[in-house]
PDB file of all heavy atoms in Angstrom:
ATOM      1  N   GLY J  30     156.103  -1.817 249.361  1.00 98.00           N
ATOM      2  CA  GLY J  30     157.095  -2.753 248.876  1.00 98.00           C
ATOM      3  C   GLY J  30     157.335  -2.361 247.426  1.00 98.00           C
ATOM      4  O   GLY J  30     158.515  -2.539 246.951  1.00 98.00           O
ATOM      5  N   LEU J  31     156.414  -1.926 246.773  1.00 98.00           N
ATOM      6  CA  LEU J  31     156.584  -1.466 245.329  1.00 98.00           C
ATOM      7  C   LEU J  31     157.458  -0.153 245.250  1.00 98.00           C
ATOM      8  O   LEU J  31     158.285  -0.062 244.404  1.00 98.00           O
ATOM      9  CB  LEU J  31     155.145  -1.163 244.590  1.00 98.00           C
ATOM     10  CG  LEU J  31     154.416  -2.352 244.381  1.00 98.00           C
ATOM     11  CD1 LEU J  31     153.008  -2.068 243.789  1.00 98.00           C
ATOM     12  CD2 LEU J  31     154.975  -3.356 243.435  1.00 98.00           C
ATOM     13  N   ILE J  32     157.216   0.751 246.170  1.00 98.00           N
ATOM     14  CA  ILE J  32     158.108   1.838 246.287  1.00 98.00           C
ATOM     15  C   ILE J  32     159.653   1.468 246.505  1.00 98.00           C
ATOM     16  O   ILE J  32     160.459   1.941 245.877  1.00 98.00           O
ATOM     17  CB  ILE J  32     157.671   2.862 247.404  1.00 98.00           C
ATOM     18  CG1 ILE J  32     156.283   3.390 247.118  1.00 98.00           C
ATOM     19  CG2 ILE J  32     158.658   4.048 247.516  1.00 98.00           C
ATOM     20  CD1 ILE J  32     156.055   4.285 245.786  1.00 98.00           C
ATOM     21  N   ASN J  33     159.701   0.458 247.369  1.00 98.00           N
ATOM     22  CA  ASN J  33     161.107  -0.042 247.730  1.00 98.00           C
ATOM     23  C   ASN J  33     161.698  -0.656 246.420  1.00 98.00           C
ATOM     24  O   ASN J  33     162.917  -0.599 246.216  1.00 98.00           O
ATOM     25  CB  ASN J  33     161.142  -1.048 248.833  1.00 98.00           C
ATOM     26  CG  ASN J  33     160.891  -0.391 250.108  1.00 98.00           C
ATOM     27  OD1 ASN J  33     161.263   0.761 250.380  1.00 98.00           O
ATOM     28  ND2 ASN J  33     160.190  -1.137 251.038  1.00 98.00           N
ATOM     29  N   THR J  34     160.869  -1.459 245.634  1.00 98.00           N
ATOM     30  CA  THR J  34     161.310  -2.017 244.342  1.00 98.00           C
ATOM     31  C   THR J  34     161.869  -0.971 243.529  1.00 98.00           C
ATOM     32  O   THR J  34     163.009  -1.090 242.841  1.00 98.00           O
ATOM     33  CB  THR J  34     160.215  -2.868 243.633  1.00 98.00           C
ATOM     34  OG1 THR J  34     159.902  -3.837 244.587  1.00 98.00           O
ATOM     35  CG2 THR J  34     160.654  -3.284 242.364  1.00 98.00           C
ATOM     36  N   TYR J  35     161.105   0.100 243.428  1.00 98.00           N
ATOM     37  CA  TYR J  35     161.668   1.163 242.428  1.00 98.00           C
ATOM     38  C   TYR J  35     162.970   1.848 242.967  1.00 98.00           C
ATOM     39  O   TYR J  35     163.902   2.039 242.235  1.00 98.00           O
ATOM     40  CB  TYR J  35     160.598   2.350 242.343  1.00 98.00           C
ATOM     41  CG  TYR J  35     161.009   3.493 241.487  1.00 98.00           C
ATOM     42  CD1 TYR J  35     161.127   3.354 240.159  1.00 98.00           C
ATOM     43  CD2 TYR J  35     161.314   4.736 242.074  1.00 98.00           C
ATOM     44  CE1 TYR J  35     161.598   4.480 239.434  1.00 98.00           C
ATOM     45  CE2 TYR J  35     161.751   5.781 241.407  1.00 98.00           C
ATOM     46  CZ  TYR J  35     161.979   5.699 239.992  1.00 98.00           C
ATOM     47  OH  TYR J  35     162.426   6.693 239.256  1.00 98.00           O
ATOM     48  N   LYS J  36     163.065   2.099 244.202  1.00 98.00           N
ATOM     49  CA  LYS J  36     164.245   2.574 244.739  1.00 98.00           C
ATOM     50  C   LYS J  36     165.375   1.743 244.618  1.00 98.00           C
ATOM     51  O   LYS J  36     166.570   2.094 244.524  1.00 98.00           O
ATOM     52  CB  LYS J  36     164.136   2.919 246.316  1.00 98.00           C
ATOM     53  CG  LYS J  36     163.170   4.076 246.645  1.00 98.00           C
ATOM     54  CD  LYS J  36     162.909   4.188 248.089  1.00 98.00           C
ATOM     55  CE  LYS J  36     162.030   5.419 248.471  1.00 98.00           C
ATOM     56  NZ  LYS J  36     161.781   5.520 249.958  1.00 98.00           N
ATOM     57  N   GLU J  37     165.113   0.352 244.692  1.00 98.00           N
ATOM     58  CA  GLU J  37     166.267  -0.669 244.670  1.00 98.00           C
ATOM     59  C   GLU J  37     166.702  -1.156 243.236  1.00 98.00           C
ATOM     60  O   GLU J  37     167.807  -1.649 242.890  1.00 98.00           O
ATOM     61  CB  GLU J  37     165.915  -1.841 245.454  1.00 98.00           C
ATOM     62  CG  GLU J  37     165.883  -1.495 246.943  1.00 98.00           C
ATOM     63  CD  GLU J  37     165.051  -2.589 247.709  1.00 98.00           C
ATOM     64  OE1 GLU J  37     164.922  -3.655 247.423  1.00 98.00           O
ATOM     65  OE2 GLU J  37     164.610  -2.090 248.783  1.00 98.00           O
ATOM     66  N   SER J  38     165.730  -0.810 242.252  1.00 98.00           N
ATOM     67  CA  SER J  38     166.029  -1.318 240.859  1.00 98.00           C
ATOM     68  C   SER J  38     165.965  -0.268 239.817  1.00 98.00           C
ATOM     69  O   SER J  38     166.301  -0.493 238.684  1.00 98.00           O
ATOM     70  CB  SER J  38     165.076  -2.513 240.542  1.00 98.00           C
ATOM     71  OG  SER J  38     163.851  -2.124 240.249  1.00 98.00           O
ATOM     72  N   GLY J  39     165.260   0.875 240.053  1.00 98.00           N
ATOM     73  CA  GLY J  39     165.034   1.831 239.097  1.00 98.00           C
ATOM     74  C   GLY J  39     163.777   1.727 238.374  1.00 98.00           C
ATOM     75  O   GLY J  39     163.520   2.556 237.420  1.00 98.00           O
ATOM     76  N   PHE J  40     163.044   0.694 238.614  1.00 98.00           N
ATOM     77  CA  PHE J  40     161.727   0.409 237.901  1.00 98.00           C
ATOM     78  C   PHE J  40     160.758  -0.204 238.950  1.00 98.00           C
ATOM     79  O   PHE J  40     161.060  -0.977 239.761  1.00 98.00           O
ATOM     80  CB  PHE J  40     161.906  -0.585 236.736  1.00 98.00           C
ATOM     81  CG  PHE J  40     162.596   0.016 235.613  1.00 98.00           C
ATOM     82  CD1 PHE J  40     164.036  -0.020 235.561  1.00 98.00           C
ATOM     83  CD2 PHE J  40     161.952   0.537 234.482  1.00 98.00           C
ATOM     84  CE1 PHE J  40     164.669   0.606 234.388  1.00 98.00           C
ATOM     85  CE2 PHE J  40     162.544   1.144 233.437  1.00 98.00           C
ATOM     86  CZ  PHE J  40     163.829   1.129 233.397  1.00 98.00           C
ATOM     87  N   PHE J  41     159.473   0.028 238.694  1.00 98.00           N
ATOM     88  CA  PHE J  41     158.366  -0.714 239.298  1.00 98.00           C
ATOM     89  C   PHE J  41     158.414  -2.126 238.562  1.00 98.00           C
ATOM     90  O   PHE J  41     158.625  -2.077 237.355  1.00 98.00           O
ATOM     91  CB  PHE J  41     157.022  -0.012 239.192  1.00 98.00           C
ATOM     92  CG  PHE J  41     156.879   1.213 240.011  1.00 98.00           C
ATOM     93  CD1 PHE J  41     156.698   2.495 239.497  1.00 98.00           C
ATOM     94  CD2 PHE J  41     157.105   1.166 241.426  1.00 98.00           C
ATOM     95  CE1 PHE J  41     156.590   3.563 240.328  1.00 98.00           C
ATOM     96  CE2 PHE J  41     157.029   2.290 242.236  1.00 98.00           C
ATOM     97  CZ  PHE J  41     156.696   3.481 241.666  1.00 98.00           C
ATOM     98  N   PRO J  42     158.047  -3.114 239.299  1.00 98.00           N
ATOM     99  CA  PRO J  42     157.937  -4.403 238.723  1.00 98.00           C
ATOM    100  C   PRO J  42     156.690  -4.584 237.807  1.00 98.00           C
ATOM    101  O   PRO J  42     155.678  -3.833 237.999  1.00 98.00           O
ATOM    102  CB  PRO J  42     157.812  -5.391 239.894  1.00 98.00           C
ATOM    103  CG  PRO J  42     157.076  -4.587 240.908  1.00 98.00           C
ATOM    104  CD  PRO J  42     157.657  -3.226 240.826  1.00 98.00           C
ATOM    105  N   GLU J  43     156.693  -5.433 236.756  1.00 98.00           N
ATOM    106  CA  GLU J  43     155.597  -5.810 236.049  1.00 98.00           C
ATOM    107  C   GLU J  43     155.353  -7.305 236.225  1.00 98.00           C
ATOM    108  O   GLU J  43     154.232  -7.715 236.366  1.00 98.00           O
ATOM    109  CB  GLU J  43     155.835  -5.457 234.478  1.00 98.00           C
ATOM    110  CG  GLU J  43     156.044  -3.989 234.290  1.00 98.00           C
ATOM    111  CD  GLU J  43     154.972  -3.153 234.621  1.00 98.00           C
ATOM    112  OE1 GLU J  43     153.723  -3.484 234.753  1.00 98.00           O
ATOM    113  OE2 GLU J  43     155.213  -1.919 234.923  1.00 98.00           O
ATOM    114  N   TRP J  44     156.406  -8.094 236.245  1.00 98.00           N
ATOM    115  CA  TRP J  44     156.398  -9.525 236.654  1.00 98.00           C
ATOM    116  C   TRP J  44     157.473  -9.745 237.578  1.00 98.00           C
ATOM    117  O   TRP J  44     158.643  -9.596 237.145  1.00 98.00           O
ATOM    118  CB  TRP J  44     156.455 -10.437 235.419  1.00 98.00           C
ATOM    119  CG  TRP J  44     155.351 -11.442 235.447  1.00 98.00           C
ATOM    120  CD1 TRP J  44     154.400 -11.595 234.431  1.00 98.00           C
ATOM    121  CD2 TRP J  44     155.096 -12.508 236.413  1.00 98.00           C
ATOM    122  NE1 TRP J  44     153.543 -12.712 234.732  1.00 98.00           N
ATOM    123  CE2 TRP J  44     154.005 -13.285 235.863  1.00 98.00           C
ATOM    124  CE3 TRP J  44     155.713 -12.987 237.548  1.00 98.00           C
ATOM    125  CZ2 TRP J  44     153.385 -14.388 236.580  1.00 98.00           C
ATOM    126  CZ3 TRP J  44     155.237 -14.008 238.275  1.00 98.00           C
ATOM    127  CH2 TRP J  44     154.061 -14.736 237.692  1.00 98.00           C
ATOM    128  N   ALA J  45     157.200 -10.055 238.816  1.00 98.00           N
ATOM    129  CA  ALA J  45     158.311 -10.307 239.744  1.00 98.00           C
ATOM    130  C   ALA J  45     158.266 -11.670 240.443  1.00 98.00           C
ATOM    131  O   ALA J  45     157.177 -12.187 240.790  1.00 98.00           O
ATOM    132  CB  ALA J  45     158.076  -9.381 240.925  1.00 98.00           C
ATOM    133  N   SER J  46     159.455 -12.279 240.364  1.00 98.00           N
ATOM    134  CA  SER J  46     159.537 -13.595 240.984  1.00 98.00           C
ATOM    135  C   SER J  46     161.047 -14.037 241.216  1.00 98.00           C
ATOM    136  O   SER J  46     161.572 -14.743 240.234  1.00 98.00           O
ATOM    137  CB  SER J  46     158.744 -14.643 240.223  1.00 98.00           C
ATOM    138  OG  SER J  46     158.885 -15.864 240.796  1.00 98.00           O
ATOM    139  N   PRO J  47     161.739 -13.816 242.251  1.00 98.00           N
ATOM    140  CA  PRO J  47     161.275 -12.725 243.192  1.00 98.00           C
ATOM    141  C   PRO J  47     161.733 -11.302 242.688  1.00 98.00           C
ATOM    142  O   PRO J  47     161.027 -10.362 243.040  1.00 98.00           O
ATOM    143  CB  PRO J  47     162.180 -13.097 244.402  1.00 98.00           C
ATOM    144  CG  PRO J  47     163.387 -13.844 243.890  1.00 98.00           C
ATOM    145  CD  PRO J  47     162.955 -14.501 242.662  1.00 98.00           C
ATOM    146  N   GLY J  48     162.703 -11.102 241.722  1.00 98.00           N
ATOM    147  CA  GLY J  48     163.007  -9.953 241.145  1.00 98.00           C
ATOM    148  C   GLY J  48     162.252  -9.790 239.746  1.00 98.00           C
ATOM    149  O   GLY J  48     161.402 -10.631 239.392  1.00 98.00           O
ATOM    150  N   HIS J  49     162.744  -8.815 238.928  1.00 98.00           N
ATOM    151  CA  HIS J  49     162.160  -8.653 237.626  1.00 98.00           C
ATOM    152  C   HIS J  49     162.289  -9.884 236.728  1.00 98.00           C
ATOM    153  O   HIS J  49     163.441 -10.476 236.674  1.00 98.00           O
ATOM    154  CB  HIS J  49     162.827  -7.461 236.984  1.00 98.00           C
ATOM    155  CG  HIS J  49     162.642  -6.119 237.589  1.00 98.00           C
ATOM    156  ND1 HIS J  49     161.443  -5.623 237.847  1.00 98.00           N
ATOM    157  CD2 HIS J  49     163.615  -5.237 237.986  1.00 98.00           C
ATOM    158  CE1 HIS J  49     161.522  -4.458 238.389  1.00 98.00           C
ATOM    159  NE2 HIS J  49     162.919  -4.026 238.602  1.00 98.00           N
ATOM    160  N   ARG J  50     161.235 -10.235 236.111  1.00 98.00           N
ATOM    161  CA  ARG J  50     161.321 -11.381 235.127  1.00 98.00           C
ATOM    162  C   ARG J  50     160.748 -11.003 233.737  1.00 98.00           C
ATOM    163  O   ARG J  50     159.895 -10.113 233.595  1.00 98.00           O
ATOM    164  CB  ARG J  50     160.338 -12.386 235.705  1.00 98.00           C
ATOM    165  CG  ARG J  50     160.752 -13.004 237.067  1.00 98.00           C
ATOM    166  CD  ARG J  50     162.209 -13.723 237.040  1.00 98.00           C
ATOM    167  NE  ARG J  50     162.069 -14.933 236.143  1.00 98.00           N
ATOM    168  CZ  ARG J  50     161.686 -16.043 236.595  1.00 98.00           C
ATOM    169  NH1 ARG J  50     161.428 -16.255 237.866  1.00 98.00           N
ATOM    170  NH2 ARG J  50     161.687 -17.203 235.827  1.00 98.00           N
ATOM    171  N   GLU J  51     161.286 -11.570 232.833  1.00 97.00           N
ATOM    172  CA  GLU J  51     160.971 -11.242 231.349  1.00 97.00           C
ATOM    173  C   GLU J  51     159.668 -12.014 231.132  1.00 97.00           C
ATOM    174  O   GLU J  51     159.622 -13.196 230.787  1.00 97.00           O
ATOM    175  CB  GLU J  51     161.998 -11.783 230.453  1.00 97.00           C
ATOM    176  CG  GLU J  51     161.895 -11.452 229.054  1.00 97.00           C
ATOM    177  CD  GLU J  51     161.941  -9.972 228.701  1.00 97.00           C
ATOM    178  OE1 GLU J  51     163.031  -9.396 228.645  1.00 97.00           O
ATOM    179  OE2 GLU J  51     160.950  -9.293 228.455  1.00 97.00           O
ATOM    180  N   CYS J  52     158.530 -11.375 231.144  1.00 97.00           N
ATOM    181  CA  CYS J  52     157.259 -12.039 231.072  1.00 97.00           C
ATOM    182  C   CYS J  52     156.123 -11.115 230.803  1.00 97.00           C
ATOM    183  O   CYS J  52     156.018 -10.089 231.513  1.00 97.00           O
ATOM    184  CB  CYS J  52     156.875 -13.065 232.178  1.00 97.00           C
ATOM    185  SG  CYS J  52     155.483 -14.127 231.924  1.00 97.00           S
ATOM    186  N   MET J  53     155.411 -11.331 229.750  1.00 97.00           N
ATOM    187  CA  MET J  53     154.115 -10.563 229.364  1.00 97.00           C
ATOM    188  C   MET J  53     154.397  -9.111 228.962  1.00 97.00           C
ATOM    189  O   MET J  53     155.594  -8.872 228.735  1.00 97.00           O
ATOM    190  CB  MET J  53     153.154 -10.601 230.530  1.00 97.00           C
ATOM    191  CG  MET J  53     152.795 -11.997 231.084  1.00 97.00           C
ATOM    192  SD  MET J  53     152.486 -13.235 229.818  1.00 97.00           S
ATOM    193  CE  MET J  53     150.908 -12.794 229.159  1.00 97.00           C
ATOM    194  N   VAL J  54     153.359  -8.260 228.737  1.00 97.00           N
ATOM    195  CA  VAL J  54     153.480  -6.952 228.239  1.00 97.00           C
ATOM    196  C   VAL J  54     152.805  -5.932 229.152  1.00 97.00           C
ATOM    197  O   VAL J  54     152.145  -6.354 230.085  1.00 97.00           O
ATOM    198  CB  VAL J  54     152.973  -6.916 226.705  1.00 97.00           C
ATOM    199  CG1 VAL J  54     153.689  -7.939 225.843  1.00 97.00           C
ATOM    200  CG2 VAL J  54     151.449  -7.010 226.801  1.00 97.00           C
ATOM    201  N   GLY J  55     152.900  -4.692 228.737  1.00 97.00           N
ATOM    202  CA  GLY J  55     152.218  -3.613 229.438  1.00 97.00           C
ATOM    203  C   GLY J  55     152.949  -3.011 230.504  1.00 97.00           C
ATOM    204  O   GLY J  55     154.111  -3.398 230.866  1.00 97.00           O
ATOM    205  N   ASN J  56     152.509  -1.903 231.046  1.00 97.00           N
ATOM    206  CA  ASN J  56     153.097  -1.196 232.086  1.00 97.00           C
ATOM    207  C   ASN J  56     152.059  -0.938 233.242  1.00 97.00           C
ATOM    208  O   ASN J  56     151.816   0.142 233.715  1.00 97.00           O
ATOM    209  CB  ASN J  56     153.450   0.310 231.531  1.00 97.00           C
ATOM    210  CG  ASN J  56     154.250   1.196 232.409  1.00 97.00           C
ATOM    211  OD1 ASN J  56     154.032   2.373 232.350  1.00 97.00           O
ATOM    212  ND2 ASN J  56     155.006   0.733 233.380  1.00 97.00           N
ATOM    213  N   ASN J  57     151.526  -2.064 233.626  1.00 98.00           N
ATOM    214  CA  ASN J  57     150.414  -2.048 234.525  1.00 98.00           C
ATOM    215  C   ASN J  57     150.643  -1.844 235.924  1.00 98.00           C
ATOM    216  O   ASN J  57     149.756  -1.866 236.794  1.00 98.00           O
ATOM    217  CB  ASN J  57     149.600  -3.381 234.278  1.00 98.00           C
ATOM    218  CG  ASN J  57     149.114  -3.545 232.897  1.00 98.00           C
ATOM    219  OD1 ASN J  57     148.496  -2.635 232.352  1.00 98.00           O
ATOM    220  ND2 ASN J  57     149.483  -4.636 232.243  1.00 98.00           N
ATOM    221  N   SER J  58     151.915  -1.570 236.264  1.00 98.00           N
ATOM    222  CA  SER J  58     152.222  -1.119 237.644  1.00 98.00           C
ATOM    223  C   SER J  58     151.461   0.177 237.922  1.00 98.00           C
ATOM    224  O   SER J  58     151.161   0.452 239.004  1.00 98.00           O
ATOM    225  CB  SER J  58     153.747  -1.079 237.868  1.00 98.00           C
ATOM    226  OG  SER J  58     154.307  -0.250 236.795  1.00 98.00           O
TER     227      SER J  58
END
């Protein structure tokens, strides 16, 4: 599902609900 997220949005998620959300820091994907 993470691979699909990258294909569909251009980024791996860091906080998802249900799509990308503005929350917290880091690139922990």
Side-chain angles (χ1 to χ4, degrees):
L31 293 177
I32 298 299
N33 289 331
T34 296
Y35 176 71
K36 291 177 177 178
E37 294 161 24
S38 74
F40 286 87
F41 288 123
E43 302 299 337
W44 230 117
S46 182
H49 295 302
R50 297 294 294 274
E51 184 70 72
C52 189
M53 309 314 288
V54 304
N56 181 214
N57 297 308
S58 54

